[in-house]
Amino acid sequence: QVQLVESGGGSVQAGGSLRLSCAASGYTYSSNCMGWFRQAPGKEREGVAAIYTTGGSTYYSDSVKGRFTISQDNAKNTVYLQMNSLKPEDTAMYYCATVDPYRDYEPARPLSSDSYVYWGQGTQVTVSS
């Protein structure tokens, strides 16, 4: 059973930093792509970062480019989201997700939630001004 467990959320003042972690388990093969998404109350889920785990290519939404960094530790089956220069508008529940780890493909739209099959339970990030 595929499981994704996020951690590292919390409350921080504007300008601060947080690092989110997503530990993956329950599957034998490596996922080709993992992503971070966020959803604020009353808003749609937004893809903020994704990484193609084989080649290491990364993708970011315009709203976080230059401030957030996605990375991976394959030995630990963990993906990270380093968030710097946080703003109040970054406040949201953050989720990690993976494409089907048993299919050998890389999604054409890595920041689209439709590309992902398995999701974590989320971790809350709150940024105060």
Side-chain angles (χ1 to χ4, degrees):
Q1 181 177 356
V2 176
Q3 283 193 318
L4 302 174
V5 179
E6 303 98 331
S7 62
S11 297
V12 65
Q13 289 193 325
S17 298
L18 285 173
R19 188 176 82 153
L20 306 183
S21 300
C22 173
S25 64
Y27 53 87
T28 304
Y29 300 102
S30 297
S31 168
N32 283 341
C33 183
M34 296 189 71
W36 283 99
F37 292 76
R38 67 185 181 186
Q39 189 166 20
K43 295 189 176 181
E44 292 187 356
R45 186 168 294 186
E46 173 191 16
V48 296
I51 184 166
Y52 285 164
T53 58
T54 301
S57 296
T58 56
Y59 302 83
Y60 299 95
S61 66
D62 288 342
S63 60
V64 308
K65 198 172 296 182
R67 300 187 298 121
F68 290 12
T69 302
I70 188 171
S71 62
Q72 60 182 344
D73 184 335
N74 289 337
K76 296 182 178 180
N77 284 341
T78 300
V79 173
Y80 303 98
L81 186 67
Q82 178 66 44
M83 306 186 294
N84 298 329
S85 303
L86 283 162
K87 305 175 181 180
E89 50 264 43
D90 294 319
T91 296
M93 185 72 78
Y94 283 71
Y95 301 88
C96 75
T98 178
V99 301
D100 189 336
Y102 294 101
R103 289 184 59 195
D104 186 16
Y105 82 106
E106 292 179 342
R109 297 183 301 155
L111 294 181
S112 171
S113 60
D114 291 341
S115 298
Y116 296 85
V117 177
Y118 297 100
W119 295 80
Q121 82 290 345
T123 185
Q124 178 68 37
V125 171
T126 302
V127 185
S128 59
S129 58

